[in-house]
């Protein structure tokens, strides 16, 4: 291990001890905001310091085994211990490097996930509904809360566009690589000749913005229109101008919501989506600048990029960015995204580690 990394880890161990002491003090909860920050810092430092302690312990075990090499009766045992210890040490070294990688400040945030039907007409809209179910089922597996913010349904029961809010720890970190073009190859239910059609949807994953800290929305820059909600939905629908559309005049970005029970609720939801869209554009501009300096395989968030193909006849799903093909389409469409998301996260970590090495 490099001396600079060891010194940094020692500092973090000291800081964890200090934070633990502060949290245990009688005055810790007098300032709840400071208490929350300390709790969050404690949670972030603990796995790093625990892994560093395991690394040090492993170094000690190897040193003890090396001392036994001089004893002929213990030599074979010592050699096996040293070999096993060195393998473990190498694995812990890599784990520590990953833990020290710069953390994406948005990773713990809730997200707005937008699925929009592209080429393929009704079949694309049906696939949009399938993708929404896939993400909803994944959210359920992670015990995240799902809220539909707005939805524009198609005639056959799909979605021209749907936006949901996923509320849960680490939602952005797990799904941030889903942004882009999703292509489906299958025989539509309306196809009488059994021909395979290709359709597409666009997915956008946007971190929920802290409106105060990250996106400043000047009221003078906003045009707010109200209109009557459309679509099926009981007595409330079409009787009041409860639906809200907000336009950010400097950028032309629009957000609307009509699924809430009141104009006030719809306005609040539309403002959240608008802030997330503006924040997302800022993030993508930043990512593109970084990608220009160092070619990035994933994480650019380019909506025009085809990132994945879902081939139903072959039961195959392929992520084109990392050349990963899985023959478990049914499980994936039922929300089993773990293998895909783990592979994407691992690829990003490998990129960051390579950059760290350079």
């Amino acid at each position: 291990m490099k001396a600079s990394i060891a010194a940094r880890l020692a500092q973090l161990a000291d800081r964890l001890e200090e934070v633990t002491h502060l949290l245990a003090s009688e005055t810790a909860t007098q300032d709840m905001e400071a208490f929350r920050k300390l709790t969050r810092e404690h949670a972030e430092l603990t796995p790093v310091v625990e892994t560093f302690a395991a690394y040090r312990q492993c170094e000690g075990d190897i040193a003890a085994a090396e001392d036994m090499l001089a004893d002929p009766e213990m030599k074979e045992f010592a050699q096996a211990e040293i070999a096993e210890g060195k393998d473990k040490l190498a694995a812990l070294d890599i784990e520590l490097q990953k833990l020290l990688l710069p953390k994406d400040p948005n990773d713990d945030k809730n997200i707005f996930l937008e699925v929009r039907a592209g080429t393929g007409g009704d079949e694309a809209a049906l696939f949009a509904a399938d993708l929404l179910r896939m993400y909803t089922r994944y959210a359920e597996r992670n015990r995240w809360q799902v809220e539909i913010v707005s939805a524009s349904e198609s005639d056959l029961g799909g979605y021209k566009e749907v936006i949901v809010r996923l509320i849960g720890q680490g939602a952005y970190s797990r799904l941030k690589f889903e942004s882009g073009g999703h292509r489906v190859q299958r025989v539509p239910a309306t196809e009488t000749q059994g021909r395979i059609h290709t359709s597409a949807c666009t997915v956008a994953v946007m971190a929920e913005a802290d409106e105060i800290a990250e996106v400043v929305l000047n009221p003078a820059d906003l045009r707010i229109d109200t209109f009557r909600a459309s679509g099926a939905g009981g007595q409330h629908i079409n009787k009041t101008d409860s639906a809200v559309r907000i336009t950010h005049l400097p950028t032309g970005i629009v957000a609307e919501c009509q699924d809430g029970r009141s104009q006030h609720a719809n306005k609040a939801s539309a403002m959240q989506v608008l802030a997330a869209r503006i924040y997302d554009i800022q993030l993508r501009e930043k990512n593109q600048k970084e990608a220009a300096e160092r070619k990035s395989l994933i994480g650019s968030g380019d909506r025009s990029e085809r990132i994945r193909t879902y081939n139903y006849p072959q039961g195959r799903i392929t992520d084109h960015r990392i050349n990963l093909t899985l023959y478990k389409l049914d499980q994936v469409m039922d929300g089993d995204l773990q293998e895909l998301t783990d592979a994407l996260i691992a690829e990003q970590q490998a990129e960051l580690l390579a950059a760290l090495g350079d």
Side-chain angles (χ1 to χ4, degrees):
M1 180 184 289
K2 292 180 182 176
S4 58
I5 293 178
R8 172 67 178 146
L9 287 165
Q11 287 176 349
L12 294 178
D14 290 341
R15 176 57 183 166
L16 179 61
E17 192 175 331
E18 182 184 354
V19 171
T20 302
H21 179 71
L22 289 169
L23 286 171
S25 70
E26 293 179 2
T27 59
T29 56
Q30 287 182 355
D31 183 344
M32 287 308 296
E33 182 59 31
F35 180 73
R36 278 191 289 269
K37 285 182 180 177
L38 284 172
T39 303
R40 191 158 54 242
E41 186 179 0
H42 189 278
E44 290 173 358
L45 287 174
T46 298
V48 184
V49 174
E50 286 180 348
T51 307
F52 185 43
Y55 184 91
R56 281 174 158 173
Q57 177 66 48
C58 191
E59 283 184 319
D61 292 343
I62 292 171
E66 286 173 342
D67 289 340
M68 291 190 290
L69 287 172
D71 185 344
E73 292 183 2
M74 299 296 293
K75 185 176 181 180
E76 189 175 337
F77 172 78
Q79 287 174 334
E81 286 290 298
I82 291 168
E84 185 181 335
K86 285 183 176 179
D87 287 344
K88 184 179 178 182
L89 201 67
L92 286 168
D93 191 20
I94 293 170
E95 183 63 25
L96 281 168
Q97 288 184 57
K98 288 179 181 178
L99 288 168
L100 287 174
L101 289 175
K103 184 174 168 58
D104 188 331
N106 295 310
D107 274 353
D108 291 333
K109 290 187 176 180
N110 303 327
I111 61 172
F112 287 100
L113 188 145
E114 174 186 289
V115 184
R116 187 188 295 266
T119 54
D122 286 331
E123 171 61 11
L126 290 170
F127 181 53
D130 292 335
L131 287 176
L132 175 64
R133 181 182 181 278
M134 178 182 78
Y135 292 124
T136 301
R137 294 283 290 125
Y138 182 65
E140 289 169 358
R141 288 168 185 253
N142 286 280
R143 298 186 178 180
W144 298 339
Q145 188 179 338
V146 181
E147 292 179 357
I148 291 185
V149 176
S150 69
S152 174
E153 296 182 11
S154 69
D155 294 336
L156 295 180
Y159 289 103
K160 297 173 185 174
E161 176 188 304
V162 59
I163 301 174
V164 294
R165 181 175 177 235
L166 301 184
I167 306 158
Q169 185 74 18
Y172 185 76
S173 69
R174 300 300 303 179
L175 291 177
K176 61 184 174 183
F177 301 123
E178 292 301 301
S179 292
H182 294 243
R183 185 177 68 168
V184 62
Q185 296 170 327
R186 64 183 178 187
V187 179
T190 54
E191 170 60 59
T192 57
Q193 303 297 318
R195 292 172 297 189
I196 296 171
H197 288 228
T198 298
S199 306
C201 288
T202 302
V203 172
V205 176
M206 302 168 286
E208 187 175 45
D210 178 343
E211 294 173 45
I212 297 172
E214 292 158 339
V215 178
V216 178
L217 295 175
N218 186 343
D221 292 338
L222 304 177
R223 186 179 75 233
I224 301 175
D225 301 309
T226 57
F227 56 98
R228 292 192 176 181
S230 60
Q235 297 179 355
H236 177 71
I237 299 298
N238 291 327
K239 292 205 172 181
T240 60
D241 289 343
S242 62
V244 175
R245 180 184 297 111
I246 303 176
T247 305
H248 186 243
L249 298 174
T251 60
I253 295 172
V254 178
E256 65 177 56
C257 184
Q258 59 176 333
D259 282 39
R261 301 300 293 172
S262 70
Q263 188 181 111
H264 178 75
N266 283 327
K267 182 181 176 183
S269 292
M271 283 290 282
Q272 283 184 311
V273 173
L274 184 69
R277 282 182 172 159
I278 293 172
Y279 183 52
D280 184 57
I281 286 175
Q282 293 170 353
L283 279 180
R284 280 192 281 138
E285 287 175 349
K286 176 174 173 287
N287 288 340
Q288 283 165 359
K289 285 179 184 177
E290 290 174 355
E293 297 171 7
R294 177 178 61 85
K295 175 62 179 170
S296 177
L297 291 174
I298 56 175
S300 65
D302 187 352
R303 305 287 181 265
S304 63
E305 180 189 9
R306 189 190 75 201
I307 65 168
R308 196 174 295 150
T309 296
Y310 305 73
N311 185 299
Y312 275 73
Q314 296 178 20
R316 169 172 55 83
I317 183 166
T318 301
D319 195 293
H320 304 290
R321 296 163 296 179
I322 56 176
N323 295 320
L324 174 66
T325 296
L326 302 173
Y327 287 89
K328 50 185 291 186
L329 182 61
D330 288 346
Q331 296 97 309
V332 169
M333 297 310 293
D334 194 42
D336 184 6
L337 291 172
Q338 196 71 22
E339 191 171 351
L340 270 171
T341 55
D342 284 349
L344 289 161
I345 290 169
E347 183 66 33
Q348 188 203 34
Q349 287 179 338
E351 287 180 18
L352 291 171
L353 284 171
L356 202 64
D358 294 340

